[in-house]
Amino acid sequence: IALNIFLARKYGMKIILVSGASKVEEMVDPLSLVSLGKILGMDLKEAKESASKTLTYIIEENLKRKEPGWIAPGIEVVKE
């Protein structure tokens, strides 16, 4: 997994830390995910972003794709 993180950094990919839970009882708190990121070689800032901000960013981008004016990343229909 540490090698995957290294390669993701090298090629500029966003890293997401998630629990993969399918039930409420299996969920893990964000601090545990940040700790896992630290164990895997991430710095504190990167681990925090991977457990929260990156996922929020991806959700926002996917919601933009559902808007009628969206064509492709960076291209949108602008109404005057």
Side-chain angles (χ1 to χ4, degrees), residues 2 5 13 17 24 41-42 53 64 66 78:
I5 291 173
M13 298 176 71
L17 294 174
V24 175
M42 298 175 151
K53 291 182 181 178
K64 285 181 186 178
K66 293 183 177 185
V78 180

Side-chain angles (χ1 to χ4, degrees), residues 9 13 16 22 25 29 32 41 46-47 53 59 72-73 76-77:
R9 281 188 196 139
M13 298 176 71
I16 302 173
S22 58
E25 297 83 19
D29 67 301
S32 296
E46 184 181 17
K53 291 182 181 178
I59 290 170
E76 296 179 28
V77 175

Side-chain angles (χ1 to χ4, degrees), residues 16-17 30 33-34 47-57:
I16 302 173
L17 294 174
L33 293 175
V34 171
K48 283 183 178 180
E49 288 178 359
S50 296
S52 63
K53 291 182 181 178
T54 304
L55 186 57
T56 303
Y57 170 77

Side-chain angles (χ1 to χ4, degrees), residues 59-71:
I59 290 170
E60 289 173 355
E61 289 297 310
N62 285 336
L63 289 174
K64 285 181 186 178
R65 292 177 185 216
K66 293 183 177 185
E67 293 177 4
W70 189 87
I71 297 174

